[in-house]
mmCIF file of all heavy atoms in Angstrom:
data_model
loop_
_atom_site.group_PDB
_atom_site.id
_atom_site.type_symbol
_atom_site.label_atom_id
_atom_site.label_comp_id
_atom_site.label_asym_id
_atom_site.label_seq_id
_atom_site.Cartn_x
_atom_site.Cartn_y
_atom_site.Cartn_z
ATOM 1 N N ARG A 475 -68.124 114.664 -2.264
ATOM 2 C CA ARG A 475 -66.812 114.473 -1.661
ATOM 3 C C ARG A 475 -65.894 115.446 -2.346
ATOM 4 O O ARG A 475 -65.962 115.643 -3.567
ATOM 5 C CB ARG A 475 -66.340 113.040 -1.888
ATOM 6 C CG ARG A 475 -64.843 112.802 -1.634
ATOM 7 C CD ARG A 475 -64.577 111.320 -1.488
ATOM 8 N NE ARG A 475 -63.172 110.956 -1.639
ATOM 9 C CZ ARG A 475 -62.263 111.006 -0.667
ATOM 10 N NH1 ARG A 475 -62.599 111.461 0.525
ATOM 11 N NH2 ARG A 475 -61.024 110.641 -0.882
ATOM 12 N N ARG A 476 -65.029 116.067 -1.554
ATOM 13 C CA ARG A 476 -64.109 117.030 -2.143
ATOM 14 C C ARG A 476 -62.955 117.235 -1.179
ATOM 15 O O ARG A 476 -63.139 117.730 -0.080
ATOM 16 C CB ARG A 476 -64.879 118.334 -2.343
ATOM 17 C CG ARG A 476 -64.201 119.387 -3.090
ATOM 18 C CD ARG A 476 -63.195 120.150 -2.266
ATOM 19 N NE ARG A 476 -63.160 121.488 -2.767
ATOM 20 C CZ ARG A 476 -63.477 122.538 -2.037
ATOM 21 N NH1 ARG A 476 -63.770 122.426 -0.779
ATOM 22 N NH2 ARG A 476 -63.453 123.722 -2.594
ATOM 23 N N ILE A 477 -61.793 116.792 -1.607
ATOM 24 C CA ILE A 477 -60.632 116.903 -0.725
ATOM 25 C C ILE A 477 -59.467 117.496 -1.497
ATOM 26 O O ILE A 477 -59.411 117.427 -2.725
ATOM 27 C CB ILE A 477 -60.200 115.526 -0.158
ATOM 28 C CG1 ILE A 477 -59.986 114.515 -1.297
ATOM 29 C CG2 ILE A 477 -61.212 115.006 0.844
ATOM 30 C CD1 ILE A 477 -59.021 113.422 -0.969
ATOM 31 N N SER A 478 -58.545 118.085 -0.746
ATOM 32 C CA SER A 478 -57.329 118.607 -1.346
ATOM 33 C C SER A 478 -56.156 118.172 -0.494
ATOM 34 O O SER A 478 -56.229 118.203 0.737
ATOM 35 C CB SER A 478 -57.368 120.133 -1.412
ATOM 36 O OG SER A 478 -56.096 120.622 -1.812
ATOM 37 N N ALA A 479 -55.081 117.747 -1.155
ATOM 38 C CA ALA A 479 -53.869 117.396 -0.429
ATOM 39 C C ALA A 479 -52.906 118.570 -0.436
ATOM 40 O O ALA A 479 -51.820 118.492 0.136
ATOM 41 C CB ALA A 479 -53.217 116.162 -1.067
ATOM 42 N N ALA A 480 -53.297 119.655 -1.083
ATOM 43 C CA ALA A 480 -52.406 120.807 -1.188
ATOM 44 C C ALA A 480 -52.742 121.877 -0.152
ATOM 45 O O ALA A 480 -51.851 122.548 0.367
ATOM 46 C CB ALA A 480 -52.487 121.394 -2.592
ATOM 47 N N TYR A 481 -54.013 122.056 0.141
ATOM 48 C CA TYR A 481 -54.431 123.051 1.135
ATOM 49 C C TYR A 481 -55.278 122.374 2.198
ATOM 50 O O TYR A 481 -56.259 121.723 1.872
ATOM 51 C CB TYR A 481 -55.283 124.139 0.471
ATOM 52 C CG TYR A 481 -54.512 125.046 -0.446
ATOM 53 C CD1 TYR A 481 -54.596 124.902 -1.826
ATOM 54 C CD2 TYR A 481 -53.708 126.056 0.072
ATOM 55 C CE1 TYR A 481 -53.895 125.737 -2.667
ATOM 56 C CE2 TYR A 481 -52.998 126.895 -0.773
ATOM 57 C CZ TYR A 481 -53.099 126.733 -2.133
ATOM 58 O OH TYR A 481 -52.399 127.566 -2.964
ATOM 59 N N LYS A 482 -54.891 122.556 3.437
ATOM 60 C CA LYS A 482 -55.699 121.983 4.506
ATOM 61 C C LYS A 482 -57.010 122.758 4.648
ATOM 62 O O LYS A 482 -58.081 122.189 4.703
ATOM 63 C CB LYS A 482 -54.907 122.022 5.814
ATOM 64 C CG LYS A 482 -55.657 121.404 6.979
ATOM 65 C CD LYS A 482 -54.761 121.160 8.163
ATOM 66 C CE LYS A 482 -54.668 122.414 9.032
ATOM 67 N NZ LYS A 482 -54.058 122.137 10.350
ATOM 68 N N ASP A 483 -56.847 124.064 4.718
ATOM 69 C CA ASP A 483 -57.997 124.930 4.943
ATOM 70 C C ASP A 483 -58.391 125.586 3.646
ATOM 71 O O ASP A 483 -57.733 126.511 3.194
ATOM 72 C CB ASP A 483 -57.592 126.034 5.932
ATOM 73 C CG ASP A 483 -58.255 125.822 7.265
ATOM 74 O OD1 ASP A 483 -58.990 124.826 7.401
ATOM 75 O OD2 ASP A 483 -58.034 126.656 8.150
ATOM 76 N N LEU A 484 -59.444 125.116 3.076
ATOM 77 C CA LEU A 484 -59.823 125.714 1.811
ATOM 78 C C LEU A 484 -61.293 126.100 1.863
ATOM 79 O O LEU A 484 -62.052 125.524 2.635
ATOM 80 C CB LEU A 484 -59.549 124.739 0.665
ATOM 81 C CG LEU A 484 -60.052 123.317 0.860
ATOM 82 C CD1 LEU A 484 -61.248 123.049 0.000
ATOM 83 C CD2 LEU A 484 -58.944 122.360 0.499
ATOM 84 N N PRO A 485 -61.661 127.071 1.056
ATOM 85 C CA PRO A 485 -63.053 127.532 1.111
ATOM 86 C C PRO A 485 -64.015 126.370 0.873
ATOM 87 O O PRO A 485 -63.865 125.634 -0.088
ATOM 88 C CB PRO A 485 -63.133 128.547 -0.034
ATOM 89 C CG PRO A 485 -61.723 128.971 -0.279
ATOM 90 C CD PRO A 485 -60.874 127.790 0.053
ATOM 91 N N GLY A 486 -64.951 126.194 1.776
ATOM 92 C CA GLY A 486 -65.897 125.080 1.664
ATOM 93 C C GLY A 486 -65.462 123.869 2.468
ATOM 94 O O GLY A 486 -66.264 123.022 2.791
ATOM 95 N N GLY A 487 -64.162 123.804 2.777
ATOM 96 C CA GLY A 487 -63.667 122.754 3.653
ATOM 97 C C GLY A 487 -63.356 121.436 2.964
ATOM 98 O O GLY A 487 -63.637 121.250 1.786
ATOM 99 N N GLN A 488 -62.737 120.561 3.738
ATOM 100 C CA GLN A 488 -62.456 119.205 3.259
ATOM 101 C C GLN A 488 -63.703 118.366 3.542
ATOM 102 O O GLN A 488 -64.110 118.241 4.696
ATOM 103 C CB GLN A 488 -61.272 118.595 4.035
ATOM 104 C CG GLN A 488 -60.007 119.433 4.034
ATOM 105 C CD GLN A 488 -59.085 119.089 2.865
ATOM 106 O OE1 GLN A 488 -59.404 118.244 2.032
ATOM 107 N NE2 GLN A 488 -57.948 119.758 2.811
ATOM 108 N N VAL A 489 -64.267 117.813 2.507
ATOM 109 C CA VAL A 489 -65.480 117.008 2.663
ATOM 110 C C VAL A 489 -65.118 115.563 2.329
ATOM 111 O O VAL A 489 -64.864 115.240 1.172
ATOM 112 C CB VAL A 489 -66.607 117.513 1.729
ATOM 113 C CG1 VAL A 489 -67.855 116.660 1.896
ATOM 114 C CG2 VAL A 489 -66.917 118.979 2.008
#
Side-chain angles (χ1 to χ4, degrees):
Chain A
R475 165 163 163 84
R476 188 281 211 119
I477 53 154
S478 171
Y481 290 103
K482 182 167 86 167
D483 251 1
L484 48 107
Q488 306 269 2
V489 180

